[in-house]
Amino acid sequence: MTASDTIHSTFTIERVYSASPERVFEAFRDPAVKRVWFAEVENFEIDQFDCELRVGGHDVCRFRTADGTAIRNDTYYHDIVDSRRIVYEYAMRVGDHLISASLSTIEFTSHESGTRLTYTEQGAFFDGADKPGSREHGCKMLLERLADTIEGAKQ
Amino acid sequence: MTTPQAKHATIRVERHYAHPVSAVFEAWRDPAARARWEPKPGGIDEDCEHVELQTGARERGRWLENGEELMCFEHHFVQVVPEQRIVTTVRMATNDSPLLSSQHVIEMTAEAGGTTLVCTEQVTWLNGQDMRPQHESGWKSLLDGLAAELESSR
């Protein structure tokens, strides 16, 4: 392992939702709602989903892929401003192997009658086990699933 | 209350030390050594119990000026791989108001004649300010402090 195997990368995703910042924020705070869009992804078996949105809170999400690979997400919250901002660190492990460590900022601002969500991730990807491009793609997918959850629930 | 927009930056510094990677890592691992060489701003007292570096450990402390708290911080050692890599996150707040969150990746590579150290900081400032110059000078002080420590323990 050398330092050159580590990739540092920053990406930002913006997404507008037709719901208030309070409602969008609630989808991150309410564990039952977050589980639907964040964890209940097709072809993944959930082994653990703990979600506690408070400063100092520790979320654990453990799941398995179809071929049985164990993946774990440990999230620790750094800063929370209700309906405005969430800052957290998260580490992804495959088995016991740390594949990435990231700092993420989610900002919620009013946009027309809805919300503009800005997601910025500053990640370090280790040993070539994951790529910033696929992480960005994965995050975009989650934010689309969030739209289905929030906007689907309004009808 | 307004929430300032977060600002993000990446800062990378690199330095070569004419010391074996085992000595460089030990200067980080040993809490007493780190308490000696980690820089503090001038005129500031630090109240921090340094812990031994290991995966999952946390360290909390405060900077004081004339007994008044200027800043409090918390370090989380996300991963420590001896003589290879240290991943740390940092939270800093002042008067209960968040100042920044940051992630530091310190990588050590043994080379002929010594060790190359690469430090990459990914920082999010939460107070609306861009404090890159302060961070860059902080890293310079840190690398200088480490050099002095390595020379004195040679």
Side-chain angles (χ1 to χ4, degrees):
Chain A
M1 188 188 82
T2 62
S4 62
D5 294 331
T6 301
I7 300 169
H8 288 89
S9 173
T10 301
F11 62 85
T12 298
I13 303 169
E14 283 194 356
R15 180 75 167 78
V16 173
Y17 297 95
S18 62
S20 65
E22 288 73 21
R23 280 185 53 100
V24 180
F25 180 83
E26 187 63 14
F28 285 84
R29 197 203 55 75
D30 183 332
V33 175
K34 187 174 175 185
R35 184 183 167 111
V36 171
W37 65 266
F38 184 79
E40 288 177 356
V41 180
E42 218 174 299
N43 297 324
F44 287 103
E45 190 77 31
I46 303 170
D47 289 327
Q48 184 178 359
F49 180 80
D50 296 337
C51 171
E52 196 184 0
L53 186 71
R54 62 171 180 85
V55 173
H58 176 198
D59 290 0
V60 180
C61 183
R62 291 190 304 117
F63 51 96
R64 273 169 294 135
T65 60
D67 68 3
T69 306
I71 302 178
R72 179 182 175 114
N73 172 336
D74 285 274
T75 294
Y76 296 91
Y77 294 102
H78 282 216
D79 181 56
I80 297 164
V81 183
D82 282 358
S83 307
R84 301 262 177 92
R85 182 169 77 195
I86 304 172
V87 182
Y88 57 97
E89 60 171 271
Y90 80 103
M92 295 295 298
R93 289 182 176 83
V94 174
D96 290 330
H97 189 74
L98 181 72
I99 61 165
S100 70
S102 300
L103 193 62
S104 294
T105 306
I106 306 172
E107 292 170 299
F108 308 86
T109 50
S110 292
H111 176 79
E112 293 169 5
S113 62
T115 303
R116 180 189 300 281
L117 182 154
T118 307
Y119 175 82
T120 303
E121 177 163 341
Q122 297 170 288
F125 298 85
F126 303 114
D127 310 325
D130 200 351
K131 300 272 187 307
S134 57
R135 178 62 56 85
E136 182 172 352
H137 176 73
C139 291
K140 274 190 180 141
M141 241 176 52
L142 286 176
L143 293 178
E144 288 309 309
R145 292 172 52 86
L146 172 61
D148 294 343
T149 302
I150 296 172
E151 292 164 6
K154 280 199 311 192
Q155 269 90 56
Chain B
M1 190 190 80
T2 62
T3 306
Q5 198 179 351
K7 293 187 190 300
H8 309 278
T10 302
I11 296 162
R12 183 184 187 278
V13 293
E14 181 173 341
R15 183 134 358 149
H16 183 81
Y17 294 97
H19 299 268
V21 68
S22 55
V24 174
F25 179 74
E26 186 59 18
W28 292 87
R29 187 205 60 79
D30 177 11
R34 205 153 45 80
R36 260 194 314 271
W37 67 265
E38 271 190 345
K40 296 164 259 305
I44 299 297
D45 294 316
E46 188 177 77
D47 171 18
C48 174
E49 190 163 332
H50 288 76
V51 302
E52 184 166 329
L53 226 59
Q54 50 185 321
T55 298
R58 282 180 188 269
E59 191 168 271
R60 294 176 184 86
R62 304 186 297 158
W63 284 350
L64 306 159
E65 190 173 39
N66 305 321
E68 294 274 312
E69 180 180 308
L70 283 184
M71 203 93 85
C72 64
F73 57 86
E74 179 170 0
H75 296 161
H76 175 212
F77 301 107
V78 176
Q79 188 193 40
V80 179
V81 184
E83 302 182 15
Q84 292 182 4
R85 181 163 69 208
I86 303 164
V87 182
T88 310
T89 61
V90 180
R91 286 173 58 200
M92 290 190 102
T94 175
N95 296 326
D96 285 334
S97 170
L99 190 58
L100 62 85
S101 285
S102 188
Q103 175 167 282
H104 302 171
V105 178
I106 312 288
E107 291 168 296
M108 312 172 183
T109 311
E111 288 185 342
T115 303
T116 295
L117 193 72
V118 177
C119 307
T120 308
E121 173 174 21
Q122 293 173 297
V123 58
T124 300
W125 291 296
L126 298 170
N127 60 349
Q129 291 179 35
D130 180 327
M131 297 185 288
R132 180 183 276 275
Q134 292 91 320
H135 283 246
E136 285 176 344
S137 86
W139 281 107
K140 185 177 182 307
S141 304
L142 186 111
L143 296 182
D144 290 348
L146 176 58
E149 170 71 17
L150 291 167
E151 283 307 314
S152 69
S153 61
R154 197 190 260 274

